Amino acid sequence: MTDGPAEDAQWSALHGGVQPSPMVRGWLRMIWALARGPVLRVPPDVLSALGLLTLVGAWAAVEGPGWPALAAVLVIAAGVLDGLDGAVAMRTRRARPLGAVVDAVADRLGDLALGATLAALGAPLPWVLASLALLFVMEYLRARAQSVGMPGVGAVTVAERPTRLILVAAAALGTAASPTGLPLIGWDWASATAVAWTVVGIVGMVQLVIGVRRTIPARFPPDR
């Protein structure tokens, strides 16, 4: 399989025809470069499970010994594993509906681990719960729209999984570098990140609602 336009086309097909941004293209190049050699022998479901376990490890690194820098590294590693499972599935032609279900469940459990990591870093629980609630409602809306005929994902919003991973990794790195918090506003890194995640979630919800209204079929297909 040729790297470059080929993986861009596959990503676009999986996301309802949306063309990847330059940042997404760069991410795809890195993931496809890593999806080679021994990595191709690892089943995609195992990669999904490893990504989830890595996020649980990030939470444990903060909750236990209090190592936010290690948590940041683990969150970034989980993001790479999250990309590799799909790349390996496509490159080895092992993509299947059950694998998509496993990946989705691992992603949602991983999101809970991200929220737990943010709380362990010191974010107020109400803000963490608000961000998670928005996330789960958004993903439920997307899944229900797809079940009644919406092609693709409806819209690639600002609140997708890479954004969540980046936010929590930044909170962990910020906490490790400056435990006293953000000097200009007086907030700790985790609290500021939880607020940012909630705001991004609201914007993402609006984007998805617009995308669903634009792309969902107007009526069910006639019975055959």
Side-chain angles (χ1 to χ4, degrees):
M1 186 177 293
T2 304
D3 293 343
E7 67 264 23
D8 291 352
Q10 290 191 32
W11 186 93
S12 179
L14 291 172
H15 292 81
V18 177
Q19 295 302 311
S21 66
M23 182 178 296
V24 171
R25 286 194 185 96
W27 173 257
L28 291 173
R29 300 294 184 276
M30 183 192 74
I31 292 299
W32 282 84
L34 293 173
R36 300 176 185 275
V39 175
L40 294 178
R41 302 191 188 99
V42 183
D45 291 351
V46 172
L47 291 170
S48 298
L50 287 175
L52 171 59
L53 291 174
T54 303
L55 287 177
V56 173
W59 164 77
V62 178
E63 186 67 25
W67 294 339
L70 176 59
V73 173
L74 291 173
V75 169
I76 294 169
V80 173
L81 289 167
D82 190 38
L84 279 176
D85 59 2
V88 169
M90 287 187 287
R91 176 159 275 174
T92 59
R93 302 186 186 280
R94 286 186 284 183
R96 68 197 199 288
L98 180 59
V101 173
V102 171
D103 181 54
V105 172
D107 284 350
R108 297 296 77 76
L109 293 175
D111 288 327
L112 290 175
L114 285 174
T117 302
L118 206 53
L121 288 167
L125 187 58
W127 281 107
V128 174
L129 293 177
S131 59
L132 289 174
L134 282 165
L135 154 67
F136 277 89
V137 171
M138 190 176 80
E139 294 296 343
Y140 178 76
L141 169 63
R142 176 176 283 151
R144 288 297 298 154
Q146 289 173 329
S147 72
V148 296
M150 182 184 75
V153 296
V156 179
T157 74
V158 297
E160 302 299 337
R161 186 167 171 80
T163 301
R164 303 192 288 268
L165 291 164
I166 291 169
L167 284 173
V168 177
L173 281 175
T175 301
S178 177
T180 57
L182 295 161
L184 295 180
I185 62 175
W187 288 7
D188 62 88
W189 287 90
S191 297
T193 300
V195 173
W197 185 350
T198 303
V199 172
V200 166
I202 293 171
V203 175
M205 180 69 75
V206 172
Q207 290 178 307
L208 182 59
V209 168
I210 294 172
V212 167
R213 287 179 60 86
R214 184 179 64 246
T215 59
I216 198 168
R219 57 181 60 87
F220 288 108
D223 295 335
R224 294 183 179 179

